[in-house]
Amino acid sequence: MSEAVEAPNIWNKPEAKHRAELGGGYIMELAAVVSLEPEYLEGLLIPRHAAKKWQLKQKRGGEETVINEWELPANVVPQTIWSLAEPYLDVDSPRELNRMRLAFLRTCPETESDAVKELAEDIWQSGEALNYMCESCAKIHVGDKTAIRAMLLSYAAVRVLNGEGLHISISGSAGTGKSHAASTAAKHLPEGAVMDARVSDKALYYHQIKEGTVLLLDDQELSEDLQELLKVASTDWSKSATYLTVNNQKAVELKLPAKCPFWVVKANLNGDEQILDRQLVIWTDESVEQLRSIQQVIFHTAANPDLKIGDADAAVCREIWNYIEPAVVTIPYAEGIGCDEHMDPRNIKILLSLIQAHALMKGPQRNHEGELVEATIEDFMEAAKIINPLLENTGGSQKLKLSSGAARVLAFLSQEESGIIPFENIRQATGLSQSYLNYALYGREGRQTDGLLAVCPALEIVEDTVTRQGGGTVRRKAVNWSKNTYQVWVGATGMFYMNPPYNVGL
Protein backbone atom coordinates (compact mmCIF):
# COMPACT_ATOMS: atom_id res chain seq x y z
CA MET A 1 0.00 0.00 0.00
CA SER A 2 1.37 3.37 -0.90
CA GLU A 3 2.48 5.54 1.96
CA ALA A 4 0.85 8.93 2.31
CA VAL A 5 3.28 11.78 2.07
CA GLU A 6 2.97 15.49 2.70
CA ALA A 7 3.22 17.67 -0.37
CA PRO A 8 2.71 21.32 -1.11
CA ASN A 9 -0.92 22.20 -1.68
CA ILE A 10 -1.78 22.94 -5.29
CA TRP A 11 -3.90 26.07 -5.53
CA ASN A 12 -6.77 26.18 -8.01
CA LYS A 13 -8.98 28.92 -9.29
CA PRO A 14 -12.24 29.05 -7.26
CA GLU A 15 -15.30 27.75 -9.07
CA ALA A 16 -17.42 30.70 -7.90
CA LYS A 17 -16.24 34.29 -7.62
CA HIS A 18 -16.14 35.89 -4.18
CA ARG A 19 -15.25 39.53 -4.59
CA ALA A 20 -16.25 42.24 -2.12
CA GLU A 21 -16.00 45.89 -3.18
CA LEU A 22 -15.29 47.57 0.16
CA GLY A 23 -15.26 51.17 -1.01
CA GLY A 24 -12.35 53.58 -1.25
CA GLY A 25 -10.89 51.41 -4.01
CA TYR A 26 -10.31 48.46 -1.67
CA ILE A 27 -11.29 44.93 -2.68
CA MET A 28 -11.30 41.62 -0.76
CA GLU A 29 -11.19 38.67 -3.13
CA LEU A 30 -10.97 34.92 -2.91
CA ALA A 31 -7.95 34.28 -5.14
CA ALA A 32 -7.49 30.49 -4.94
CA VAL A 33 -8.65 27.31 -3.19
CA VAL A 34 -7.40 23.85 -2.34
CA SER A 35 -9.93 21.01 -2.25
CA LEU A 36 -10.02 18.07 0.18
CA GLU A 37 -9.72 15.52 -2.62
CA PRO A 38 -6.39 13.60 -2.36
CA GLU A 39 -4.32 12.84 -5.44
CA TYR A 40 -1.98 10.00 -6.45
CA LEU A 41 1.41 11.05 -7.71
CA GLU A 42 3.77 8.29 -8.94
CA GLY A 43 1.93 5.79 -6.78
CA LEU A 44 2.02 7.96 -3.67
CA LEU A 45 -1.15 9.25 -2.00
CA ILE A 46 -0.92 13.02 -1.58
CA PRO A 47 -3.43 14.50 0.90
CA ARG A 48 -4.88 17.95 0.36
CA HIS A 49 -5.94 20.36 3.05
CA ALA A 50 -9.07 22.44 2.37
CA ALA A 51 -7.86 26.01 2.34
CA LYS A 52 -8.57 29.38 0.79
CA LYS A 53 -6.28 32.17 -0.28
CA TRP A 54 -7.66 35.67 0.29
CA GLN A 55 -6.22 38.85 -1.20
CA LEU A 56 -6.68 42.47 -0.22
CA LYS A 57 -6.34 44.67 -3.30
CA GLN A 58 -6.47 48.36 -4.06
CA LYS A 59 -7.68 49.74 -7.37
CA ARG A 60 -5.95 52.85 -8.69
CA GLY A 61 -6.24 54.20 -12.21
CA GLY A 62 -7.76 50.97 -13.47
CA GLU A 63 -4.96 48.82 -12.05
CA GLU A 64 -5.45 46.46 -9.08
CA THR A 65 -2.51 46.01 -6.74
CA VAL A 66 -2.34 43.22 -4.14
CA ILE A 67 -1.64 44.75 -0.72
CA ASN A 68 -1.47 41.47 1.17
CA GLU A 69 -2.73 37.89 1.02
CA TRP A 70 -3.49 35.15 3.52
CA GLU A 71 -3.68 31.36 3.25
CA LEU A 72 -6.40 30.30 5.69
CA PRO A 73 -8.33 27.14 6.53
CA ALA A 74 -11.48 26.84 4.45
CA ASN A 75 -13.72 26.91 7.53
CA VAL A 76 -12.32 30.13 9.01
CA VAL A 77 -15.12 32.54 9.99
CA PRO A 78 -15.55 35.78 7.98
CA GLN A 79 -14.85 37.96 11.04
CA THR A 80 -11.35 36.46 11.29
CA ILE A 81 -10.66 37.13 7.63
CA TRP A 82 -11.76 40.73 8.13
CA SER A 83 -9.57 41.19 11.22
CA LEU A 84 -6.50 40.31 9.15
CA ALA A 85 -7.33 42.82 6.41
CA GLU A 86 -8.51 45.72 8.58
CA PRO A 87 -5.05 47.00 9.69
CA TYR A 88 -4.05 47.53 6.03
CA LEU A 89 -6.97 49.88 5.22
CA ASP A 90 -5.98 53.53 5.15
CA VAL A 91 -9.27 54.97 6.44
CA ASP A 92 -9.69 57.83 8.91
CA SER A 93 -13.41 57.59 9.65
CA PRO A 94 -14.56 54.81 12.02
CA ARG A 95 -17.92 54.89 10.28
CA GLU A 96 -16.37 54.38 6.85
CA LEU A 97 -14.31 51.51 8.23
CA ASN A 98 -17.46 49.94 9.65
CA ARG A 99 -19.20 50.30 6.28
CA MET A 100 -16.26 48.46 4.70
CA ARG A 101 -16.58 45.69 7.28
CA LEU A 102 -20.27 45.30 6.51
CA ALA A 103 -19.57 45.37 2.77
CA PHE A 104 -17.37 42.30 3.22
CA LEU A 105 -19.63 40.47 5.69
CA ARG A 106 -22.61 40.93 3.35
CA THR A 107 -20.83 38.79 0.75
CA CYS A 108 -20.42 35.84 3.13
CA PRO A 109 -23.43 33.50 3.59
CA GLU A 110 -22.74 33.01 7.31
CA THR A 111 -22.89 36.73 8.13
CA GLU A 112 -24.98 38.17 5.27
CA SER A 113 -28.33 38.47 7.07
CA ASP A 114 -27.00 40.20 10.19
CA ALA A 115 -24.78 42.50 8.12
CA VAL A 116 -27.72 43.57 5.93
CA LYS A 117 -29.79 44.47 8.99
CA GLU A 118 -26.92 46.35 10.64
CA LEU A 119 -26.16 48.34 7.48
CA ALA A 120 -29.84 49.12 6.86
CA GLU A 121 -30.22 50.56 10.35
CA ASP A 122 -27.02 52.61 9.96
CA ILE A 123 -28.21 54.06 6.64
CA TRP A 124 -31.63 54.88 8.10
CA GLN A 125 -30.18 56.59 11.16
CA SER A 126 -27.89 58.69 8.95
CA GLY A 127 -30.78 59.96 6.79
CA GLU A 128 -29.26 58.41 3.63
CA ALA A 129 -32.11 56.01 2.83
CA LEU A 130 -33.36 57.62 -0.39
CA ASN A 131 -29.91 58.41 -1.78
CA TYR A 132 -28.69 54.89 -1.00
CA MET A 133 -31.68 53.38 -2.81
CA CYS A 134 -31.14 55.64 -5.83
CA GLU A 135 -27.44 54.75 -5.98
CA SER A 136 -28.29 51.07 -5.75
CA CYS A 137 -30.80 51.42 -8.62
CA ALA A 138 -28.15 53.22 -10.68
CA LYS A 139 -25.95 50.11 -10.47
CA ILE A 140 -28.69 48.14 -12.22
CA HIS A 141 -30.39 50.69 -14.48
CA VAL A 142 -28.58 53.32 -16.54
CA GLY A 143 -29.98 56.87 -16.36
CA ASP A 144 -33.63 57.86 -15.71
CA LYS A 145 -32.67 59.06 -12.24
CA THR A 146 -35.72 61.33 -11.89
CA ALA A 147 -38.13 58.52 -12.80
CA ILE A 148 -36.58 56.08 -10.32
CA ARG A 149 -36.37 58.65 -7.53
CA ALA A 150 -40.02 59.56 -8.12
CA MET A 151 -41.11 55.90 -7.99
CA LEU A 152 -39.33 55.36 -4.68
CA LEU A 153 -40.98 58.49 -3.26
CA SER A 154 -44.32 57.27 -4.63
CA TYR A 155 -44.06 54.19 -2.44
CA ALA A 156 -42.88 56.24 0.56
CA ALA A 157 -45.97 58.46 0.10
CA VAL A 158 -48.10 55.41 0.98
CA ARG A 159 -46.81 55.78 4.55
CA VAL A 160 -47.66 59.48 4.85
CA LEU A 161 -50.81 59.36 6.95
CA ASN A 162 -52.06 62.80 5.88
CA GLY A 163 -50.89 62.62 2.25
CA GLU A 164 -52.85 62.28 -0.99
CA GLY A 165 -50.59 59.80 -2.73
CA LEU A 166 -48.34 60.03 -5.76
CA HIS A 167 -49.00 58.27 -9.08
CA ILE A 168 -46.36 57.97 -11.81
CA SER A 169 -46.59 57.99 -15.61
CA ILE A 170 -43.48 56.97 -17.56
CA SER A 171 -43.42 57.17 -21.36
CA GLY A 172 -40.81 57.03 -24.09
CA SER A 173 -39.82 55.36 -27.33
CA ALA A 174 -39.37 51.60 -27.58
CA GLY A 175 -36.07 50.34 -26.19
CA THR A 176 -35.40 53.32 -23.93
CA GLY A 177 -35.72 51.31 -20.71
CA LYS A 178 -39.17 52.20 -19.36
CA SER A 179 -40.00 48.72 -18.11
CA HIS A 180 -36.49 48.14 -16.79
CA ALA A 181 -36.58 51.39 -14.81
CA ALA A 182 -39.88 50.39 -13.19
CA SER A 183 -38.75 46.82 -12.43
CA THR A 184 -35.50 48.16 -10.96
CA ALA A 185 -37.37 50.49 -8.60
CA ALA A 186 -39.75 47.65 -7.70
CA LYS A 187 -36.80 45.43 -6.83
CA HIS A 188 -35.87 47.91 -4.09
CA LEU A 189 -39.27 47.77 -2.39
CA PRO A 190 -40.37 45.14 0.16
CA GLU A 191 -41.32 41.69 -1.10
CA GLY A 192 -44.88 41.73 -2.40
CA ALA A 193 -45.09 45.52 -2.52
CA VAL A 194 -45.65 45.62 -6.30
CA MET A 195 -48.33 43.94 -8.40
CA ASP A 196 -46.90 43.67 -11.91
CA ALA A 197 -49.40 42.00 -14.25
CA ARG A 198 -51.71 42.71 -17.13
CA VAL A 199 -55.22 43.18 -15.79
CA SER A 200 -58.73 43.23 -17.20
CA ASP A 201 -61.01 46.16 -16.53
CA LYS A 202 -62.42 44.95 -13.20
CA ALA A 203 -59.71 42.46 -12.15
CA LEU A 204 -58.22 44.76 -9.52
CA TYR A 205 -61.49 44.63 -7.60
CA TYR A 206 -61.61 40.83 -7.52
CA HIS A 207 -58.04 39.98 -6.52
CA GLN A 208 -56.84 40.08 -2.92
CA ILE A 209 -54.64 43.17 -3.07
CA LYS A 210 -53.16 44.58 0.12
CA GLU A 211 -53.52 48.24 1.03
CA GLY A 212 -50.57 50.28 -0.24
CA THR A 213 -49.66 47.88 -3.06
CA VAL A 214 -48.03 49.52 -6.08
CA LEU A 215 -50.09 48.73 -9.19
CA LEU A 216 -47.60 48.56 -12.07
CA LEU A 217 -49.38 48.69 -15.44
CA ASP A 218 -46.63 48.02 -17.95
CA ASP A 219 -47.37 48.50 -21.64
CA GLN A 220 -51.12 48.23 -21.09
CA GLU A 221 -53.62 50.56 -22.67
CA LEU A 222 -55.85 52.16 -20.02
CA SER A 223 -59.42 51.32 -20.89
CA GLU A 224 -62.21 53.69 -19.86
CA ASP A 225 -62.98 51.47 -16.85
CA LEU A 226 -59.34 51.37 -15.74
CA GLN A 227 -59.10 55.14 -16.14
CA GLU A 228 -62.20 55.55 -14.02
CA LEU A 229 -60.69 53.31 -11.35
CA LEU A 230 -57.48 55.36 -11.30
CA LYS A 231 -59.51 58.56 -10.95
CA VAL A 232 -61.45 57.16 -8.01
CA ALA A 233 -58.31 55.75 -6.36
CA SER A 234 -56.52 59.10 -6.59
CA THR A 235 -59.46 61.34 -5.72
CA ASP A 236 -60.06 59.79 -2.31
CA TRP A 237 -56.66 58.29 -1.57
CA SER A 238 -57.37 57.23 2.01
CA LYS A 239 -60.56 55.27 1.19
CA SER A 240 -61.15 52.05 -0.69
CA ALA A 241 -62.60 52.30 -4.19
CA THR A 242 -65.95 50.47 -4.20
CA TYR A 243 -67.51 48.57 -7.10
CA LEU A 244 -71.06 47.26 -6.85
CA THR A 245 -72.03 44.34 -9.08
CA VAL A 246 -74.32 41.30 -9.22
CA ASN A 247 -73.33 37.62 -9.06
CA ASN A 248 -75.98 34.88 -9.33
CA GLN A 249 -78.66 37.53 -8.85
CA LYS A 250 -77.09 38.62 -5.55
CA ALA A 251 -75.64 42.04 -4.82
CA VAL A 252 -71.85 41.99 -4.45
CA GLU A 253 -69.67 44.78 -3.09
CA LEU A 254 -66.03 44.71 -4.21
CA LYS A 255 -63.25 47.02 -3.10
CA LEU A 256 -59.82 48.15 -4.25
CA PRO A 257 -57.87 48.87 -1.05
CA ALA A 258 -56.86 52.42 -0.19
CA LYS A 259 -53.49 53.98 -0.88
CA CYS A 260 -52.52 51.97 -3.96
CA PRO A 261 -50.22 54.08 -6.16
CA PHE A 262 -50.33 53.48 -9.92
CA TRP A 263 -47.15 53.30 -12.01
CA VAL A 264 -48.27 53.53 -15.63
CA VAL A 265 -45.54 52.59 -18.13
CA LYS A 266 -46.27 52.98 -21.85
CA ALA A 267 -44.52 54.11 -25.02
CA ASN A 268 -47.13 56.85 -25.48
CA LEU A 269 -48.87 58.87 -22.81
CA ASN A 270 -51.65 56.70 -21.42
CA GLY A 271 -55.06 58.03 -20.42
CA ASP A 272 -57.06 61.19 -20.87
CA GLU A 273 -56.25 64.65 -19.50
CA GLN A 274 -57.91 63.95 -16.16
CA ILE A 275 -55.73 60.85 -15.69
CA LEU A 276 -52.51 62.66 -16.60
CA ASP A 277 -53.41 65.51 -14.25
CA ARG A 278 -53.25 63.03 -11.38
CA GLN A 279 -49.79 61.69 -12.26
CA LEU A 280 -46.20 62.81 -12.30
CA VAL A 281 -45.56 62.75 -16.06
CA ILE A 282 -41.99 61.65 -16.80
CA TRP A 283 -40.21 60.68 -20.04
CA THR A 284 -37.38 58.20 -20.34
CA ASP A 285 -34.06 59.54 -21.62
CA GLU A 286 -33.97 59.13 -25.42
CA SER A 287 -30.59 60.76 -26.01
CA VAL A 288 -27.85 59.14 -28.06
CA GLU A 289 -25.63 59.11 -24.96
CA GLN A 290 -28.28 57.17 -23.02
CA LEU A 291 -28.69 54.66 -25.83
CA ARG A 292 -24.94 54.12 -25.96
CA SER A 293 -24.80 53.57 -22.20
CA ILE A 294 -27.54 50.95 -22.44
CA GLN A 295 -25.63 49.17 -25.20
CA GLN A 296 -22.47 49.07 -23.09
CA VAL A 297 -24.35 47.55 -20.15
CA ILE A 298 -25.84 44.86 -22.39
CA PHE A 299 -22.39 43.93 -23.71
CA HIS A 300 -20.90 43.97 -20.19
CA THR A 301 -23.66 41.69 -18.88
CA ALA A 302 -23.12 39.26 -21.77
CA ALA A 303 -19.40 39.15 -21.00
CA ASN A 304 -20.03 38.55 -17.27
CA PRO A 305 -23.06 36.22 -16.98
CA ASP A 306 -22.36 35.37 -13.32
CA LEU A 307 -22.25 39.02 -12.27
CA LYS A 308 -25.27 40.01 -10.18
CA ILE A 309 -24.82 43.76 -10.05
CA GLY A 310 -26.71 45.55 -7.32
CA ASP A 311 -28.39 42.47 -5.80
CA ALA A 312 -26.70 42.86 -2.41
CA ASP A 313 -27.55 46.56 -2.20
CA ALA A 314 -31.16 45.89 -3.19
CA ALA A 315 -31.45 43.52 -0.23
CA VAL A 316 -30.29 46.31 2.08
CA CYS A 317 -32.85 48.68 0.54
CA ARG A 318 -35.67 46.22 1.15
CA GLU A 319 -34.56 45.98 4.77
CA ILE A 320 -34.49 49.80 5.18
CA TRP A 321 -38.26 49.98 4.58
CA ASN A 322 -38.74 48.15 7.90
CA TYR A 323 -37.55 51.32 9.64
CA ILE A 324 -39.83 53.75 7.76
CA GLU A 325 -42.89 53.95 9.96
CA PRO A 326 -46.18 55.61 8.87
CA ALA A 327 -46.42 59.18 10.12
CA VAL A 328 -48.20 62.50 9.71
CA VAL A 329 -45.88 64.91 7.88
CA THR A 330 -46.38 68.61 8.45
CA ILE A 331 -44.97 71.30 6.14
CA PRO A 332 -44.71 74.39 8.39
CA TYR A 333 -43.59 76.65 5.52
CA ALA A 334 -46.30 75.52 3.07
CA GLU A 335 -47.89 78.99 2.88
CA GLY A 336 -44.53 80.39 1.79
CA ILE A 337 -44.44 78.26 -1.37
CA GLY A 338 -44.99 80.34 -4.52
CA CYS A 339 -46.12 79.37 -8.01
CA ASP A 340 -47.71 80.67 -11.20
CA GLU A 341 -51.28 81.88 -10.59
CA HIS A 342 -52.45 79.49 -13.30
CA MET A 343 -50.81 76.45 -11.70
CA ASP A 344 -53.06 73.41 -11.71
CA PRO A 345 -54.05 72.64 -8.08
CA ARG A 346 -53.27 68.98 -8.73
CA ASN A 347 -49.64 69.90 -9.43
CA ILE A 348 -49.55 71.67 -6.08
CA LYS A 349 -50.78 68.52 -4.39
CA ILE A 350 -48.16 66.47 -6.23
CA LEU A 351 -45.43 68.85 -5.01
CA LEU A 352 -46.69 68.54 -1.42
CA SER A 353 -46.74 64.74 -1.71
CA LEU A 354 -43.13 64.78 -2.91
CA ILE A 355 -42.14 67.00 0.05
CA GLN A 356 -43.92 64.77 2.56
CA ALA A 357 -42.46 61.55 1.14
CA HIS A 358 -38.94 63.00 1.09
CA ALA A 359 -39.24 64.18 4.69
CA LEU A 360 -40.46 60.75 5.79
CA MET A 361 -37.47 59.07 4.15
CA LYS A 362 -35.03 61.37 5.95
CA GLY A 363 -36.24 59.76 9.16
CA PRO A 364 -34.16 60.67 12.23
CA GLN A 365 -32.85 63.79 10.46
CA ARG A 366 -36.29 65.41 10.87
CA ASN A 367 -38.00 66.60 14.06
CA HIS A 368 -40.32 63.93 15.46
CA GLU A 369 -43.13 64.19 17.97
CA GLY A 370 -44.67 60.76 18.14
CA GLU A 371 -46.14 60.08 14.70
CA LEU A 372 -45.57 63.69 13.57
CA VAL A 373 -42.66 64.46 11.23
CA GLU A 374 -41.73 68.03 10.31
CA ALA A 375 -40.56 68.72 6.75
CA THR A 376 -37.71 71.18 6.19
CA ILE A 377 -36.84 73.53 3.34
CA GLU A 378 -34.45 70.84 2.10
CA ASP A 379 -37.44 68.60 1.42
CA PHE A 380 -39.02 71.36 -0.68
CA MET A 381 -35.80 71.86 -2.64
CA GLU A 382 -35.52 68.14 -3.40
CA ALA A 383 -39.18 67.98 -4.47
CA ALA A 384 -38.74 71.05 -6.69
CA LYS A 385 -35.74 69.40 -8.39
CA ILE A 386 -38.12 66.70 -9.58
CA ILE A 387 -41.22 68.64 -10.57
CA ASN A 388 -39.87 72.00 -11.82
CA PRO A 389 -38.03 70.59 -14.87
CA LEU A 390 -41.19 68.65 -15.78
CA LEU A 391 -43.16 71.90 -15.66
CA GLU A 392 -40.71 73.25 -18.25
CA ASN A 393 -41.04 70.19 -20.52
CA THR A 394 -37.60 68.92 -19.56
CA GLY A 395 -37.56 65.20 -18.88
CA GLY A 396 -41.35 65.19 -18.70
CA SER A 397 -44.42 67.34 -19.21
CA GLN A 398 -46.21 68.19 -16.00
CA LYS A 399 -47.96 71.32 -17.25
CA LEU A 400 -48.75 70.68 -20.91
CA LYS A 401 -49.04 66.86 -20.66
CA LEU A 402 -47.18 66.24 -23.91
CA SER A 403 -45.33 63.20 -25.17
CA SER A 404 -41.58 63.65 -25.63
CA GLY A 405 -42.08 63.75 -29.40
CA ALA A 406 -44.79 66.41 -29.16
CA ALA A 407 -42.57 68.48 -26.88
CA ARG A 408 -39.75 68.19 -29.42
CA VAL A 409 -42.07 69.42 -32.19
CA LEU A 410 -43.32 72.28 -30.03
CA ALA A 411 -39.76 73.29 -29.11
CA PHE A 412 -38.92 73.53 -32.81
CA LEU A 413 -42.08 75.44 -33.72
CA SER A 414 -41.62 77.90 -30.84
CA GLN A 415 -38.42 79.13 -32.50
CA GLU A 416 -40.15 79.68 -35.83
CA GLU A 417 -42.05 82.75 -36.98
CA SER A 418 -45.73 82.50 -37.87
CA GLY A 419 -46.52 80.88 -41.20
CA ILE A 420 -46.78 77.61 -43.10
CA ILE A 421 -44.24 74.97 -42.04
CA PRO A 422 -44.16 71.69 -44.04
CA PHE A 423 -44.25 68.37 -42.21
CA GLU A 424 -40.95 67.43 -43.82
CA ASN A 425 -39.20 70.47 -42.32
CA ILE A 426 -40.47 69.50 -38.87
CA ARG A 427 -39.47 65.87 -39.32
CA GLN A 428 -35.93 66.75 -40.37
CA ALA A 429 -35.49 69.29 -37.57
CA THR A 430 -36.76 66.98 -34.81
CA GLY A 431 -35.38 63.68 -36.08
CA LEU A 432 -38.79 62.03 -35.62
CA SER A 433 -39.99 59.32 -37.95
CA GLN A 434 -43.21 59.95 -39.85
CA SER A 435 -45.22 57.73 -37.49
CA TYR A 436 -43.89 59.48 -34.36
CA LEU A 437 -44.52 62.88 -35.95
CA ASN A 438 -48.10 61.85 -36.66
CA TYR A 439 -48.53 60.72 -33.06
CA ALA A 440 -47.00 63.97 -31.77
CA LEU A 441 -49.51 66.00 -33.80
CA TYR A 442 -52.64 63.85 -33.87
CA GLY A 443 -52.31 61.75 -30.71
CA ARG A 444 -52.87 58.03 -30.29
CA GLU A 445 -54.58 56.43 -33.26
CA GLY A 446 -55.59 59.84 -34.54
CA ARG A 447 -58.03 60.39 -31.67
CA GLN A 448 -56.86 63.97 -31.28
CA THR A 449 -57.06 63.71 -27.50
CA ASP A 450 -53.39 63.76 -26.53
CA GLY A 451 -51.54 65.24 -29.52
CA LEU A 452 -50.49 68.83 -30.08
CA LEU A 453 -53.64 69.54 -32.10
CA ALA A 454 -55.75 68.68 -29.07
CA VAL A 455 -53.91 70.86 -26.56
CA CYS A 456 -52.19 73.72 -28.41
CA PRO A 457 -54.35 76.38 -30.17
CA ALA A 458 -51.33 77.83 -32.00
CA LEU A 459 -51.28 75.31 -34.83
CA GLU A 460 -53.54 73.64 -37.32
CA ILE A 461 -52.90 71.13 -40.11
CA VAL A 462 -53.28 72.42 -43.65
CA GLU A 463 -52.42 71.25 -47.15
CA ASP A 464 -49.81 73.42 -48.82
CA THR A 465 -49.49 73.63 -52.61
CA VAL A 466 -45.98 73.96 -54.04
CA THR A 467 -44.73 74.22 -57.62
CA ARG A 468 -42.32 71.56 -58.88
CA GLN A 469 -39.12 72.54 -60.64
CA GLY A 470 -40.17 70.82 -63.86
CA GLY A 471 -43.61 72.38 -63.74
CA GLY A 472 -46.88 71.35 -62.18
CA THR A 473 -47.87 71.43 -58.53
CA VAL A 474 -47.97 69.01 -55.64
CA ARG A 475 -49.91 69.16 -52.36
CA ARG A 476 -48.21 68.40 -49.06
CA LYS A 477 -49.21 68.47 -45.42
CA ALA A 478 -48.03 71.41 -43.35
CA VAL A 479 -48.60 73.21 -40.07
CA ASN A 480 -50.11 76.66 -40.01
CA TRP A 481 -48.22 78.14 -37.05
CA SER A 482 -49.14 81.24 -35.01
CA LYS A 483 -46.31 82.34 -32.75
CA ASN A 484 -48.42 85.06 -31.09
CA THR A 485 -51.11 82.57 -30.14
CA TYR A 486 -48.43 80.22 -28.79
CA GLN A 487 -46.91 82.92 -26.57
CA VAL A 488 -50.30 83.77 -25.11
CA TRP A 489 -51.17 80.08 -24.61
CA VAL A 490 -47.95 78.92 -22.99
CA GLY A 491 -47.86 81.94 -20.64
CA ALA A 492 -45.11 82.54 -18.14
CA THR A 493 -42.95 79.62 -17.06
CA GLY A 494 -44.74 78.15 -14.06
CA MET A 495 -42.38 76.77 -11.44
CA PHE A 496 -42.46 76.41 -7.68
CA TYR A 497 -40.30 78.64 -5.50
CA MET A 498 -40.04 79.89 -1.92
CA ASN A 499 -41.21 83.35 -0.91
CA PRO A 500 -39.51 85.50 1.77
CA PRO A 501 -38.55 84.91 4.49
CA TYR A 502 -38.28 81.19 3.75
CA ASN A 503 -36.03 81.72 0.72
CA VAL A 504 -33.19 83.31 2.70
CA GLY A 505 -29.99 81.47 1.89
CA LEU A 506 -31.48 79.47 -0.97
Side-chain angles (χ1 to χ4, degrees), residues 286-341:
E286 300 182 9
S287 67
V288 174
E289 294 78 13
Q290 171 71 358
L291 179 59
R292 187 56 185 159
S293 296
I294 292 173
Q295 293 169 349
Q296 290 173 347
V297 169
I298 294 172
F299 288 135
H300 182 69
T301 302
N304 301 274
D306 60 340
L307 196 60
K308 296 182 179 180
I309 300 174
D311 283 1
D313 292 337
V316 176
C317 294
R318 290 191 291 270
E319 181 67 28
I320 290 173
W321 289 104
N322 291 326
Y323 295 93
I324 305 178
E325 297 289 343
V328 172
V329 180
T330 178
I331 308 174
Y333 52 83
E335 293 178 322
I337 298 174
C339 63
D340 177 7
E341 62 182 0

Side-chain angles (χ1 to χ4, degrees), residues 19 34 45 129 383:
R19 178 183 171 93
V34 175
L45 180 66

Side-chain angles (χ1 to χ4, degrees), residues 154-155 158 165-167 193 195 204 209-216 229-230 233-234 236-241 255-263:
S154 171
Y155 184 68
V158 170
L166 184 61
H167 306 283
M195 190 214 72
L204 293 176
I209 298 172
K210 295 180 180 179
E211 181 175 308
T213 300
V214 174
L215 305 177
L216 173 55
L229 175 57
L230 198 156
S234 58
D236 203 341
W237 169 253
S238 61
K239 293 184 179 179
S240 301
K255 292 181 180 292
L256 174 70
K259 298 186 175 183
C260 289
F262 282 78
W263 294 357

Side-chain angles (χ1 to χ4, degrees), residues 3-8 37-42 44-48:
E3 181 182 357
V5 299
E6 290 292 337
E37 295 294 328
E39 293 185 11
Y40 282 96
L41 183 62
E42 295 180 355
L44 298 177
L45 180 66
I46 303 176
R48 303 293 181 202

Side-chain angles (χ1 to χ4, degrees), residues 399-447:
K399 181 178 180 181
L400 303 180
K401 306 299 189 295
L402 301 176
S403 67
S404 58
R408 204 181 302 178
V409 171
L410 190 60
F412 165 70
L413 293 176
S414 67
Q415 302 301 314
E416 299 294 303
E417 296 301 323
S418 299
I420 303 298
I421 304 173
F423 270 28
E424 183 60 23
N425 291 18
I426 300 173
R427 194 178 65 80
Q428 291 180 359
T430 59
L432 296 174
S433 66
Q434 189 62 54
S435 61
Y436 272 102
L437 177 58
N438 287 338
Y439 166 65
L441 293 170
Y442 295 104
R444 287 172 295 152
E445 301 174 2
R447 296 184 209 173

Side-chain angles (χ1 to χ4, degrees), residues 161 326-329 360 368-373:
L161 297 176
V328 172
V329 180
L360 191 66
H368 279 257
E369 291 184 12
E371 289 187 343
L372 185 67
V373 175

Side-chain angles (χ1 to χ4, degrees), residues 11-86:
W11 294 96
N12 299 308
K13 185 178 180 180
E15 293 182 2
K17 289 183 179 179
H18 191 155
R19 178 183 171 93
E21 304 276 353
L22 306 181
Y26 290 104
I27 300 160
M28 275 292 289
E29 188 169 37
L30 179 60
V33 297
V34 175
S35 71
L36 284 169
E37 295 294 328
E39 293 185 11
Y40 282 96
L41 183 62
E42 295 180 355
L44 298 177
L45 180 66
I46 303 176
R48 303 293 181 202
H49 303 286
K52 294 182 177 181
K53 182 183 293 184
W54 289 91
Q55 291 181 340
L56 175 64
K57 301 179 178 180
Q58 189 168 26
K59 189 173 184 178
R60 291 177 178 173
E63 298 287 334
E64 293 183 4
T65 304
V66 176
I67 298 175
N68 207 339
E69 65 179 24
W70 301 269
E71 297 178 8
L72 303 170
N75 61 352
V76 68
V77 296
Q79 292 88 341
T80 299
I81 301 171
W82 171 256
S83 67
L84 295 172
E86 184 176 352

